[in-house]
Amino acid sequence: MKKQAMELSVQDRESLYKRYLFWLYKTIREDADRIDRKFTQLVLDERIAAFLERDAASLDKDLRCGVGPFVEEWKTYIAQKADDARKLKFSEAGSLKFEYVFLRLKLKAVERLIVERLGRRHLKEFRRRLEEVAMQGILQDHSGRR
């Protein structure tokens, strides 16, 4: 059998590149998002806490006292999440963890390679697909976690 018959076609090779780049992008992006989303969630959680405190303060005394422990529980939840988030991204000294920096650099490199090999349109498509999968995961989540 001729050597040429054993080689991949251009289309097959490009398909393998595309699938590998998509897999790389997906896995690295998910790892980065696991860390980064905690910080974006905190911004929203803190805003919710501000609304809760303001609205609870406007209640009559009995309701305010009854709701108070729930508001405090929410604030404790936020503090714990903030502590957990800091530990994922920052060292004890407060500087960025090397692992996190490397993860962000690797994501940037993969994004550049996707654009270089496949074009900006594919990077946008990859982002769109991951967003759709993430939204579907949220819709299917029945864990009851906040």
Side-chain angles (χ1 to χ4, degrees):
M1 190 175 275
K2 292 185 179 184
K3 180 181 173 186
Q4 291 172 313
M6 301 302 284
E7 291 182 9
L8 289 174
S9 69
V10 172
Q11 293 90 352
D12 286 344
R13 187 177 304 111
E14 290 303 313
S15 177
L16 288 172
Y17 286 149
K18 180 181 176 181
R19 284 185 275 155
Y20 180 59
L21 286 169
F22 181 65
W23 178 82
L24 275 173
Y25 179 73
K26 175 191 171 295
T27 56
I28 296 166
R29 181 66 187 256
E30 287 173 344
D31 289 346
D33 282 356
R34 263 193 260 334
I35 297 168
D36 293 333
R37 74 174 168 236
K38 290 197 181 283
F39 290 92
T40 58
Q41 289 170 0
L42 282 168
V43 170
L44 301 175
D45 289 343
E46 289 168 354
R47 191 74 178 123
I48 290 169
F51 286 140
L52 290 171
E53 284 184 310
R54 186 193 70 205
D55 293 347
S58 70
L59 297 172
D60 68 46
K61 184 179 178 186
D62 287 340
L63 286 174
R64 188 173 54 245
C65 288
V67 170
F70 296 104
V71 173
E72 290 306 312
E73 179 186 346
W74 182 253
K75 289 165 54 177
T76 301
Y77 165 77
I78 294 170
Q80 183 61 53
K81 184 190 278 189
D83 188 51
D84 292 345
R86 276 191 297 278
K87 289 176 184 174
L88 289 172
K89 191 172 181 177
F90 298 101
S91 70
E92 293 280 332
S95 59
L96 285 171
K97 283 189 167 184
F98 300 134
E99 299 92 339
Y100 176 77
V101 173
F102 178 72
L103 181 63
R104 297 301 301 180
L105 289 172
K106 191 165 56 167
L107 179 60
K108 186 177 179 180
V110 169
E111 288 175 339
R112 287 157 100 181
L113 190 54
I114 291 167
V115 170
E116 179 183 294
R117 282 210 156 257
L118 305 172
R120 188 160 303 284
R121 182 177 57 86
H122 277 85
L123 179 57
K124 287 179 182 179
E125 177 189 345
F126 290 177
R127 285 182 175 147
R128 181 187 55 77
R129 286 181 178 213
L130 288 185
E131 184 71 14
E132 287 173 1
V133 168
M135 295 299 263
Q136 283 299 317
I138 291 167
L139 287 173
Q140 294 172 3
D141 180 19
H142 300 289
S143 67
R145 290 178 286 161
R146 304 176 217 219

